Amino acid sequence: KAGVTQTPRYLIKTRGQQVTLSCSPISGHRSVSWYQQTPGQGLQFLFEYFSETQRNKGNFPGRFSGRQFSNSRSEMNVSTLELGDSALYLCASSLAQGPAYEQYFGPGTRLTVT
Amino acid sequence: KQEVTQIPAALSVPEGENLVLNCSFTDSAIYNLQWFRQDPGKGLTSLLLIQSSQREQTSGRLNASLDKSSGRSTLYIAASQPGDSATYLCAVKGGSYIPTFGRGTSLIVHP
């Protein structure tokens, strides 16, 4: 069974640009969550999607947005990039929404903003 | 607001040692606690998931315990190996269903 896949794996962007990251969950998984990991702040929750609807949102500015498609694949978009957005962006999938379900993480997308 | 603390922040041990990693949380109203390992620059690998009604979970050389009332979990690694070198993170999930992660324990097992 294939794991969670994220594309691209590495990305270099310039301040002010926008970026779109993609996540394909494990087959059959319908919930997708996004996280940002930085040395300074650690792992922080961005948002969670289930059945194409955003179910939870972390404390991030509106420049961070996402969506989920009918096949459960998800994308996150960051507009007007800032240097502080440089981070490892992780996607996790689970069978469904709710605390009982284990999360499985992808390898991440390393975003560098120059 | 839930806060998760992991002690120690870093650990270096010789191969073969048994070791204990600690995770503490401030709000005991949790649904579950999950332990992960992360290799440098990589994603997280789930190790063990403990539901709030459980006291411990075991997988191979790993054993995780949960004491909700005291807000603590421990991850016990038996007979450590160099391949165990990684950062270990714990995450608790509460009423909002949003997991809160600790900053991790960086483990080095040297031959």
Side-chain angles (χ1 to χ4, degrees), chain B residues 12-33:
Chain B
S12 180
V13 300
E15 182 176 6
E17 273 205 8
N18 301 322
L19 44 100
V20 174
L21 308 182
N22 296 292
C23 171
S24 62
F25 45 95
T26 54
D27 185 350
S28 62
I30 65 168
Y31 283 108
N32 62 40
L33 183 145

Side-chain angles (χ1 to χ4, degrees), chain B residues 1-109:
Chain B
K1 179 190 169 190
Q2 179 75 271
E3 291 182 4
V4 179
T5 304
Q6 291 189 245
I7 294 173
L11 191 58
S12 180
V13 300
E15 182 176 6
E17 273 205 8
N18 301 322
L19 44 100
V20 174
L21 308 182
N22 296 292
C23 171
S24 62
F25 45 95
T26 54
D27 185 350
S28 62
I30 65 168
Y31 283 108
N32 62 40
L33 183 145
Q34 194 166 358
W35 282 94
F36 298 89
R37 77 172 268 169
Q38 184 175 31
D39 293 284
K42 304 286 180 63
L44 278 63
T45 300
S46 178
L47 298 173
L48 292 163
L49 172 67
I50 311 177
Q51 301 294 349
S52 61
S53 57
Q54 298 173 317
R55 295 300 299 269
E56 65 178 330
Q57 284 283 355
T58 298
S59 175
R61 295 183 294 109
L62 305 179
N63 175 277
S65 67
L66 174 63
D67 184 343
K68 258 183 40 171
S69 60
S70 67
R72 291 183 182 182
S73 175
T74 60
L75 178 67
Y76 176 82
I77 302 177
S80 58
Q81 302 170 359
D84 294 331
S85 298
T87 296
Y88 290 80
L89 298 117
C90 70
V92 296
K93 195 176 279 190
S96 66
Y97 294 1
I98 296 173
T100 302
F101 284 81
R103 299 302 297 270
T105 293
S106 178
L107 172 66
I108 296 175
V109 181

Side-chain angles (χ1 to χ4, degrees), chain A residues 13-75:
Chain A
K13 289 287 188 179
T14 304
R15 233 177 344 174
Q17 288 186 315
Q18 75 161 16
V19 67
T20 300
L21 311 182
S22 181
C23 172
S24 292
I26 292 172
S27 178
H29 284 197
R30 295 170 59 201
S31 174
V32 173
S33 297
W34 288 89
Y35 299 85
Q36 181 196 65
Q37 186 176 34
T38 60
Q41 299 296 323
L43 245 167
Q44 293 185 286
F45 173 81
L46 279 157
F47 27 67
E48 178 186 16
Y49 285 87
F50 178 71
S51 294
E52 301 178 63
T53 303
Q54 187 180 91
R55 303 292 178 157
N56 279 303
K57 189 178 191 306
N59 190 25
F60 278 82
R63 300 185 296 108
F64 291 82
S65 63
R67 59 178 176 167
Q68 186 180 35
F69 302 95
S70 57
N71 61 358
S72 295
R73 190 177 70 86
S74 177
E75 289 181 348

